Amino acid sequence: MTLRPILIHPDPRLKKVCAPVEAVTPEIGALAEDMLQTMYDAPGVGLAAPQVGVLQRLFVMDCVKEEGAARRPMVLINPEITWTSEETNTYEEGCLSIPDQYAEVTRPKRVRMAWTGLDGKRHEEEFDDLWAICAQHEFDHLNGKLFIDYLGPMKRQMITRRMEKLKRERARG
Ligand code: ZN
């Protein structure tokens, strides 16, 4: 198990449409385990493969937030959105690739997703509230889309400039 460095926006790898995972190999299992540990360590509730520089269609999430409650680590490979509710939800989102920046995004309140699990089987489940927000946010990453792409150009540019500055500062050490 290895913690993987998380790419910070702007990065061309965060703007790519990712390729389907062809088979659930031991390498994919190891990647998913690394991604979960990296997510918990950050800490965050979701992490998509392109955020660690792997341009394949999978993400991990765990939106259990009650203190002391059991974790529910989920690995979604080749996910598809099969249904979205008309009812929407507005939530202040953040992203591990855009640290310390938050903005309100409106999305369908509930979604149904189908995906392949690490067991190689197809699964389908309906997500609500934070799980639905997280699943849609992570799904967007697989298509090169970030939550700031839902904002107006002024706000998006302001956040992007802050991230460029952060990256320059980190590069200088
Ligand atoms: Zn994100």
Side-chain angles (χ1 to χ4, degrees):
M1 192 275 292
T2 322
L3 294 180
R4 304 216 182 190
I6 298 173
L7 300 182
I8 302 298
H9 165 76
D11 187 298
R13 289 166 287 181
L14 294 172
K15 303 303 291 177
K16 297 270 195 275
V17 176
C18 296
V21 174
E22 287 186 7
V24 183
T25 58
E27 287 73 24
I28 290 291
L31 170 66
E33 187 59 31
D34 286 356
M35 285 169 59
L36 279 166
Q37 293 306 327
T38 303
M39 176 190 83
Y40 286 127
D41 181 71
V45 293
L47 186 69
Q51 292 181 276
V52 293
V54 177
L55 301 183
Q56 297 197 54
R57 303 188 74 82
L58 78 148
F59 67 81
V60 298
M61 65 175 175
D62 182 349
C63 299
V64 173
K65 52 179 192 261
E66 299 80 16
E67 192 116 355
R71 282 178 170 178
R72 192 190 175 203
M74 296 191 73
V75 178
L76 291 85
I77 299 166
N78 297 335
E80 295 170 82
I81 294 174
T82 56
W83 174 83
T84 55
S85 66
E86 281 181 30
E87 189 187 353
T88 59
N89 198 2
T90 299
Y91 187 83
E92 192 165 70
E93 293 189 22
C95 179
L96 293 177
S97 293
I98 311 174
D100 302 321
Q101 305 298 315
Y102 302 91
E104 285 193 341
V105 177
T106 299
R107 302 180 184 272
K109 187 176 185 299
R110 286 174 290 140
V111 292
R112 180 163 276 277
M113 240 180 230
W115 69 92
T116 300
L118 284 177
D119 58 6
K121 295 194 179 104
R122 206 68 182 155
H123 298 259
E124 190 164 13
E125 191 172 320
E126 191 176 311
F127 297 113
D128 196 358
D129 293 321
L130 185 58
W131 287 91
I133 292 160
C134 185
Q136 292 175 85
H137 175 119
E138 301 310 328
F139 182 86
D140 277 350
H141 273 298
L142 308 182
N143 293 322
K145 190 166 186 180
L146 302 172
F147 83 90
I148 56 171
D149 294 326
Y150 292 91
L151 311 179
M154 297 279 282
K155 188 105 200 256
R156 187 165 62 240
Q157 281 161 25
M158 186 183 72
I159 291 175
T160 299
R161 272 188 224 109
R162 281 186 195 145
M163 291 301 102
E164 285 167 341
K165 183 163 176 277
L166 175 74
K167 288 175 82 168
R168 280 197 302 273
E169 286 167 1
R170 285 191 181 181
R172 274 201 299 266

